[in-house]
Amino acid sequence: RRATILGLAVGLPVSAFFLWLAVRRADLDLVWATLRNANPGPIVLAMVAMCGVYLIQAERWRRIARVPLGLGRFFELVLCGIGCNNVLPGRVGDLLRARWLGLDARIPGGRALATVVLDRGSDLVGLVVVLLVTLPFVAPAAWLGRIVVGSVIGVSALLLGVFAARLYSRTRDRDRHAERGVLRRVARDVVDGLAEPLGRRRLAVVMALSLAAWGMWAIGALFVGRAVGIEMTLLEALFVAAVINLGVAIPSSPGFVGTYQWLAIAALGLFEVPQEGALAFAILLQAVWYVPTTVAAGVLLGGRAMQRAGRRRQTVAVSAR
């Protein structure tokens, strides 16, 4: 509840501001005409590429979690988490998928949350690597420097947090707070989950999957660009992927409306793409992943709710007998 309230109080004004920046001075009639004339073939291919992104991320999370659940279940949880983030503020979807993983795998909620933290952290590291690799090939910009600094700080904080968790787990006995409240136990489970070593081989696989996921995302962006008449190289698409997905860490409305458009316009502007074309690209790119994930999450969560309701009715019926 607190995350929701904070997300609405901070995210909505921020999104409104960036949306204003994105649409001001733009010829919206031209933007609409570009969207209306978009080639549907590349759009379908972009959707397939985005589906590949989530499948790769599900496999990465599965390798991080190491629980007896199949890839299909992790894929469902990823889609449901993204779908909830699309409509709820405060990135509640990430907390929910940790909860669902804990229930499905029968592990403590804190440990499940630790796997989500590591999963999201691997996304951050992968994007920073992509950004630093592509940065020398684009024109310098003041706002780009701020994204780089913020990203490096984020990675440093992640590494420091993992190091602190390992140090705390080794030096503090877990049973010393066994009689304390639920929050302490959950916090300790998170610490213990972060402290578990991934191992060099598994870490290498996780990072390779992260880079593969963002490479697939860039391919999806290439298809969307082609649909609206914007030709990009793979290197340019990787740069756009890094800028947009690192930039949406800024507090915003559900689905990153506003910030997503401004970041896309700013990134493509470095390649001399007109504002109207970049705005059409941003709207279509967001729709390519937003609509399918929201619909899929609704169907999956609705199906699970119906299954639970059916089991409750069966339990009540058996008890009545």
Side-chain angles (χ1 to χ4, degrees), residues 120-130 155 158-159 207 210-211 214 246:
R120 302 302 293 169
S122 62
D123 268 333
L124 174 62
V125 174
L127 286 168
V128 171
V129 170
V130 171
V155 171
L158 173 66
L159 296 177
M207 290 313 305
S210 296
L211 295 175
W214 295 118
L246 286 171

Side-chain angles (χ1 to χ4, degrees), residues 44-318:
V44 173
L45 294 175
M47 289 182 178
V48 173
M50 291 301 175
C51 182
V53 171
Y54 304 133
L55 189 61
I56 295 171
Q57 290 177 335
E59 173 62 15
R60 181 189 62 198
W61 187 22
R62 187 181 72 86
R63 289 178 177 269
I64 291 173
R66 289 194 297 183
V67 295
L69 292 178
L71 176 59
R73 184 58 188 143
F74 276 95
F75 185 55
E76 290 180 16
L77 294 182
V78 168
L79 291 179
C80 290
I82 294 171
C84 290
N85 282 338
N86 290 346
V87 298
L88 298 173
R91 299 181 186 270
V92 178
D94 289 329
L95 298 177
L96 288 174
R97 68 182 175 113
R99 171 66 173 166
W100 297 326
L101 176 65
L103 293 174
D104 287 354
R106 297 182 180 181
I107 61 175
R111 286 185 176 268
L113 181 57
T115 68
V116 174
V117 172
L118 293 174
D119 181 60
R120 302 302 293 169
S122 62
D123 268 333
L124 174 62
V125 174
L127 286 168
V128 171
V129 170
V130 171
L131 180 63
L132 294 179
V133 168
T134 58
L135 201 58
F137 301 96
V138 300
W143 60 267
L144 195 53
R146 289 190 286 271
I147 290 182
V148 172
V149 172
S151 301
V152 172
I153 291 175
V155 171
S156 301
L158 173 66
L159 296 177
L160 182 62
V162 172
F163 175 77
R166 290 185 178 180
L167 183 63
Y168 186 89
S169 182
R170 291 174 182 174
T171 57
R172 299 297 182 96
D173 185 10
R174 179 181 176 86
D175 295 332
R176 62 194 292 266
H177 291 314
E179 74 286 356
R180 301 294 179 87
V182 174
L183 289 179
R184 281 185 179 272
R185 292 199 297 271
V186 171
R188 183 55 195 257
D189 287 336
V190 173
V191 169
D192 288 345
L194 293 176
E196 291 180 359
L198 287 174
R200 293 181 180 179
R201 182 175 179 179
R202 192 152 63 105
L203 180 61
V205 172
V206 166
M207 290 313 305
L209 289 170
S210 296
L211 295 175
W214 295 118
M216 185 66 71
W217 195 99
I219 292 173
L222 283 174
F223 285 127
V224 171
R226 185 166 298 177
V228 294
I230 298 175
E231 294 294 335
M232 290 184 289
T233 66
L234 180 58
L235 194 67
E236 291 170 343
L238 285 168
F239 171 78
V240 171
V243 169
I244 292 178
N245 290 284
L246 286 171
V248 294
I250 301 170
S252 63
S253 66
F256 320 118
V257 176
T259 54
Y260 203 91
Q261 283 71 38
W262 181 82
L263 288 164
I265 291 171
L268 290 174
L270 298 179
F271 306 129
E272 300 182 352
V273 176
Q275 182 180 1
E276 289 78 10
L279 181 55
F281 167 86
I283 294 171
L284 186 56
L285 179 63
Q286 189 171 28
V288 159
W289 60 262
Y290 183 95
V291 175
T293 54
T294 304
V295 172
V299 171
L300 292 170
L301 291 174
R304 285 176 66 86
M306 293 177 63
Q307 289 176 358
R308 286 196 298 270
R311 286 195 294 267
R312 289 195 190 100
R313 286 194 296 268
Q314 290 177 357
T315 303
V316 171
V318 171

